[in-house]
């Protein structure tokens, strides 16, 4: 089985990497070509040199995310997971219910891990790479330090070991994860501003919400839903955004936009 996991990890790394590049190129091209589309959030267009570094960091993260997925895939082939292929194996209502359960569980997990990654003793070696993108691009959606990738890659595969999910629902979940991650880092808001104040978007994290996290560092930690930020008082408001300089919590490292070395921002 070990060799099977190694081969599957390599294959999934390639698939994840190609998917990332294709989605990133298409999204960035659609939103930033010409006059651009959507409401601009970035103070300036994404820097090409920074985008190249986002791509490198993302490709390094690919095998880290691929390994636990490959392990679950190989165990699934041997009947050792909670992933199922027969739609009739569980009640039909469980298909949408499992989608919601996974979303809520992933959102809760990510919120608390993300807050932990911003602790001054952790930030520099586990989360700084992602925050070098003060004006992020679609390519920043996967640009993580190896430590952050390792801390987050295992959760959904581990959940698939114990919580039943149809493989089609799992694929839909991964598709949603990719779409929201890319759009929330693209530097432009694709939704009309008026829609963001109405349900259901007022409950969800969009580019406007997450972009404030990249500008100010000290709030908006959620992944899909705003519940955790609002209930734990870490919600940042666009009305109080300071666009002249990002805010860093006391004790957190200063991040250079260029080479990653400490510098004032």
């Amino acid at each position: 089985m070990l060799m099977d996991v190694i081969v599957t990890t390599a294959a999934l790394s390639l698939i994840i990497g190609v998917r990332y590049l294709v989605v990133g190129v298409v999204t960035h091209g659609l939103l930033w070509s010409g006059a651009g589309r959507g409401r601009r959030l970035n103070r300036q267009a994404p820097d090409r040199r920074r985008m190249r570094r986002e791509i490198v960091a993302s490709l390094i993260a690919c095998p880290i995310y691929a390994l636990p997925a490959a392990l679950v895939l190989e165990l699934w082939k041997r009947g050792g997971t909670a992933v199922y292929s027969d739609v009739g194996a569980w009640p039909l209502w469980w298909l949408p219910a499992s989608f919601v359960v996974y979303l809520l569980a992933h959102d809760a997990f990510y919120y608390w891990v993300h807050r932990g990654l911003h602790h001054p003793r952790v930030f520099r070696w586990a989360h700084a790479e992602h925050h070098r993108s003060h004006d992020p691009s679609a390519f920043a959606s996967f640009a993580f330090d190896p430590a952050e990738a390792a801390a987050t890659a295992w959760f959904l595969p581990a959940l698939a070991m114990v919580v039943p999910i149809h493989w089609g629902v799992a694929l839909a979940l991964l598709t949603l994860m990719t779409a929201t991650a890319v759009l929330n880092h693209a530097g432009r808001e694709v939704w009309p501003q008026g829609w963001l104040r109405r349900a259901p978007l007022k409950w969800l994290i969009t580019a406007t919400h997450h972009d404030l996290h990249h500008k100010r560092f000290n709030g908006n930690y959620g992944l899909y839903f705003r519940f955790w930020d609002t209930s734990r008082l870490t919600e940042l408001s666009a009305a109080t955004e300071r666009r002249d300089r990002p805010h860093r919590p006391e004790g957190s490292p200063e991040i250079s936009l260029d080479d990653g070395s400490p510098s004032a921002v």
Side-chain angles (χ1 to χ4, degrees), residues 74-91:
E74 291 303 323
L75 289 173
W76 174 62
K77 292 177 182 178
R78 295 161 173 80
T81 73
V83 180
Y84 63 97
S85 55
D86 181 6
V87 174
W90 283 81

Side-chain angles (χ1 to χ4, degrees), residues 11-21 59 62-63 65-66 69 142:
L12 288 179
S13 298
L14 180 61
I15 293 171
I16 294 170
V18 170
R19 182 193 64 179
Y20 158 80
L21 290 172
L59 295 179
C62 285
Y65 277 93
F142 210 53

Side-chain angles (χ1 to χ4, degrees), residues 117-125 127-128 131-132 134 217 247-256 260-263 265:
L117 290 171
H118 276 260
H119 190 282
R121 294 183 179 179
V122 178
F123 185 92
R124 184 180 294 277
W125 56 270
H127 195 46
H131 273 282
R132 291 189 176 96
H134 295 299
F217 286 43
H247 175 80
R248 290 178 292 104
E250 182 179 354
S252 64
E254 297 172 336
I255 304 299
S256 167
S261 60
S263 68
V265 290

Side-chain angles (χ1 to χ4, degrees), residues 22 28 35 38 40 50 72-73 78 145 153 172 187 194 213 239 241:
V22 170
H28 183 76
R40 178 168 170 167
R50 181 62 208 152
V72 168
L73 183 58
R78 295 161 173 80
D145 285 287
H213 176 74
E241 179 189 2

Side-chain angles (χ1 to χ4, degrees), residues 9-192:
T9 298
L12 288 179
S13 298
L14 180 61
I15 293 171
I16 294 170
V18 170
R19 182 193 64 179
Y20 158 80
L21 290 172
V22 170
V23 173
V25 167
V26 171
T27 303
H28 183 76
L30 287 174
L31 296 183
W32 285 95
S33 61
R37 293 170 177 82
R39 179 166 51 88
R40 178 168 170 167
L41 301 172
N42 284 357
R43 290 162 291 193
Q44 56 187 8
D47 178 70
R48 288 184 177 274
R49 182 169 55 173
R50 181 62 208 152
M51 284 194 291
R52 287 195 294 269
R53 290 177 177 173
E54 290 169 350
I55 291 171
V56 170
S58 299
L59 295 179
I60 291 173
C62 285
I64 300 175
Y65 277 93
L67 176 59
L71 181 60
V72 168
L73 183 58
E74 291 303 323
L75 289 173
W76 174 62
K77 292 177 182 178
R78 295 161 173 80
T81 73
V83 180
Y84 63 97
S85 55
D86 181 6
V87 174
W90 283 81
L92 289 180
W93 60 262
W94 180 245
L95 293 175
S98 61
F99 187 87
V100 174
V101 167
Y102 270 70
L103 273 184
L104 292 175
H106 194 204
D107 189 59
F109 166 80
Y110 186 82
Y111 174 84
W112 289 105
V113 169
H114 196 183
R115 283 195 67 171
L117 290 171
H118 276 260
H119 190 282
R121 294 183 179 179
V122 178
F123 185 92
R124 184 180 294 277
W125 56 270
H127 195 46
E129 179 59 41
H130 191 66
H131 273 282
R132 291 189 176 96
S133 300
H134 295 299
D135 283 318
S137 74
F139 299 105
S141 61
F142 210 53
F144 304 126
D145 285 287
E148 178 175 1
T152 57
W154 62 271
F155 181 75
L156 289 178
L159 203 61
M161 298 294 295
V162 293
V163 179
I165 185 170
H166 187 271
W167 69 265
V169 175
L171 184 60
L173 182 66
L174 293 174
T175 301
L176 177 66
M177 288 170 53
T178 300
T180 56
V182 170
L183 290 176
N184 289 350
H185 289 86
R188 287 184 177 270
E189 179 59 78
V190 298
W191 298 104

